């Protein structure tokens, strides 16, 4: 049986506090059932060295290949370890980042949707697509529609993942503010665009 400890990002606790590990566990259960092939037998928490981790037991399976690809992209993941007796052995993660993730975090304004929650929701949408994460990893074009995009938090997460994204909103001011931001970001990154 392989046992793992997931260390959440410190920023994940900023907004959700005590719910961060519970949200991570719920996200992981959904992704396990719909994108990883049900390799996880048990999810819980464990305190190691005074730090709380999300604990996973994988039975005879281990977090390798496609399952590790999915876990690498959990919305609140900072680091992954295999528990080996009283030691933690680091597992290299490889989150999908087709573009710099600063596109998600640069903007600050009242009413902005939390980036971690947006990441979680995009992950759940990917889990609903057959082989969504594998297709994303291989570069197969996938599309995302945000029907209430506001100033683009979800569209920005799609940019990081390399998804083709469309955002629609009824508030012209939000769309204009997002267009201004995105054009500036693209120019700063020296990315070709129209």
């Amino acid at each position: 049986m392989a046992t793992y400890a997931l260390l959440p990002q410190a920023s994940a606790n900023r907004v959700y506090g005590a719910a961060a590990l519970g949200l991570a566990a719920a996200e992981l259960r959904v992704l396990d059932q719909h994108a990883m092939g049900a390799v996880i037998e048990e999810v819980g928490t464990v305190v190691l060295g005074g730090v709380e981790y999300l604990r996973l037991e994988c039975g005879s399976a281990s977090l390798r290949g496609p399952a590790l690809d999915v876990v690498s992209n959990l919305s609140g993941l900072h680091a992954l370890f295999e528990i080996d007796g009283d030691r933690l052995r680091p597992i290299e993660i490889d989150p999908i980042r087709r573009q710099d993730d600063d596109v998600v975090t640069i903007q600050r304004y009242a009413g902005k949707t939390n980036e971690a929650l947006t990441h979680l929701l995009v992950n759940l949408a990917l889990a609903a697509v057959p082989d969504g994460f594998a297709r994303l990893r291989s570069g197969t074009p996938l599309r995302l529609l945000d029907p209430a995009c506001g100033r683009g938090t979800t569209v920005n997460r799609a940019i990081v993942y390399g998804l083709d994204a469309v955002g629609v909103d009824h508030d012209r001011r939000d769309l204009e503010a997002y267009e201004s931001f995105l054009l500036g970001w693209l120019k700063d990154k020296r990315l070709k665009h129209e």
Side-chain angles (χ1 to χ4, degrees):
M1 175 178 298
T3 305
Y4 299 90
L6 281 74
L7 179 64
Q9 293 175 356
S11 62
N13 291 330
R14 180 185 79 227
V15 174
Y16 298 109
L21 285 174
L23 283 170
E27 177 184 8
L28 190 58
R29 284 185 189 105
V30 170
L31 296 179
D32 182 46
Q33 291 301 311
H34 298 282
M36 294 169 53
V39 300
I40 297 172
E41 291 186 4
E42 187 178 328
V43 177
T45 59
V46 63
V47 176
L48 302 167
V51 177
E52 192 170 23
Y53 294 80
L54 190 63
R55 182 175 177 272
L56 316 176
E57 289 187 11
C58 293
S60 61
S62 63
L63 292 180
R64 303 283 182 257
L68 182 58
D69 277 348
V70 174
V71 171
S72 290
N73 289 286
L74 287 175
S75 62
L77 179 66
H78 178 67
L80 176 65
F81 303 92
E82 185 169 5
I83 299 175
D84 182 13
D86 61 351
R87 289 178 269 168
L88 294 178
R89 188 173 59 82
I91 302 293
E92 187 170 337
I93 58 173
D94 184 21
I96 298 168
R97 288 194 181 108
R98 303 283 186 245
Q99 297 297 333
D100 291 338
D101 60 2
D102 65 348
V103 70
V104 178
T105 58
I106 289 174
Q107 289 180 296
R108 294 284 172 223
Y109 53 88
K112 181 179 181 183
T113 305
N114 179 275
E115 298 100 345
L117 178 63
T118 300
H119 190 168
L120 183 148
L121 294 173
V122 171
N123 281 349
L124 296 181
L126 281 168
V129 175
D131 299 319
F133 282 93
R135 291 170 63 189
L136 185 62
R137 178 72 69 190
S138 72
T140 302
L142 293 171
R143 293 191 177 149
L144 181 137
L145 169 66
D146 184 352
C149 71
R151 294 192 189 177
T153 304
T154 302
V155 174
N156 290 339
R157 171 50 52 192
I159 288 170
V160 172
Y161 270 167
L163 298 168
D164 292 336
V166 175
V168 179
D169 203 287
H170 71 282
D171 188 333
R172 180 166 296 284
R173 289 174 298 176
D174 279 348
L175 292 173
E176 289 169 353
Y178 181 63
E179 179 183 37
S180 175
F181 161 75
L182 186 59
L183 288 173
W185 184 83
L186 289 166
K187 287 176 186 173
D188 287 348
K189 297 293 179 178
R190 296 186 175 148
L191 296 171
K192 289 185 178 184
H193 61 277
E194 291 183 31

